[in-house]
Amino acid sequence: MNAKYALALILALQVSMSLCQPAAPSDELVAKYDEMKATFFKRLLVAYGKLQAIAAPYVERAGDSESGQRAKEYIEVAQTKPEFQAIAKVATGLGQEVSPLVDKARTSVLGMYEQHLRPYIGESLNDGINHLKVILDKVLPAE
């Protein structure tokens, strides 16, 4: 009798697991996502470059003051400490370990979006993104 229950439980788990497998997104959606992500990072790099150019004179002047010199020395000493280096190594290792999980989660979310939401909101979302691109090209260009 217990064998029947065990077999029924195994079959039920297999069915539930097969229903939990997310659909893979189409190549077209992945390419579109990758293009948008690359453009977003280009925009961030351009913004960072502009902020760095604006802040450079202030940073140079801050190094001339006594408090600026103390802060600079403190940062240099902190970077040589083994505790800081250990934290940096752990963070780097954690980033490398988490990267495949993030990619898998991103693929799952894109698959669920394409299967469940894209037929209903895909066109309006695309129009909204294209409208935002026009505004961002004026405010924060990618080049």
Side-chain angles (χ1 to χ4, degrees):
M1 190 68 171
N2 288 337
K4 290 180 185 177
Y5 289 132
L7 181 62
L9 179 63
I10 290 171
L11 289 175
L13 287 174
Q14 285 180 340
V15 168
S16 67
M17 289 302 293
S18 68
L19 293 175
C20 292
Q21 295 295 328
S26 66
D27 293 337
E28 176 260 333
L29 182 63
V30 171
K32 190 173 187 178
Y33 172 79
D34 288 339
E35 177 192 345
M36 286 184 192
K37 184 173 88 170
T39 304
F40 177 73
F41 283 126
K42 285 179 188 175
R43 290 181 196 280
L44 286 179
L45 286 174
V46 168
Y48 177 72
K50 288 180 180 179
L51 285 174
Q52 195 173 23
I54 291 170
Y58 300 111
V59 172
E60 288 176 10
R61 278 189 262 145
D64 295 339
S65 68
E66 184 180 330
S67 61
Q69 283 292 340
R70 280 188 279 160
K72 184 178 177 182
E73 290 171 5
Y74 177 76
I75 291 171
E76 289 172 354
V77 169
Q79 288 178 346
T80 60
K81 290 187 176 183
E83 296 89 1
F84 178 80
Q85 293 173 354
I87 290 172
K89 286 180 183 177
V90 168
T92 303
L94 189 62
Q96 290 172 351
E97 292 291 324
V98 170
S99 179
L101 295 174
V102 170
D103 290 339
K104 185 176 180 182
R106 183 181 306 129
T107 302
S108 298
V109 168
L110 282 175
M112 287 189 291
Y113 161 74
E114 184 171 38
Q115 186 177 16
H116 300 290
L117 295 176
R118 195 173 190 192
Y120 304 107
I121 65 168
E123 191 172 316
S124 59
L125 182 63
N126 189 38
D127 293 342
I129 289 172
N130 289 335
H131 181 70
L132 283 174
K133 280 182 187 178
V134 171
I135 296 170
L136 284 175
D137 285 339
K138 292 176 184 174
V139 176
L140 188 64
E143 285 115 26

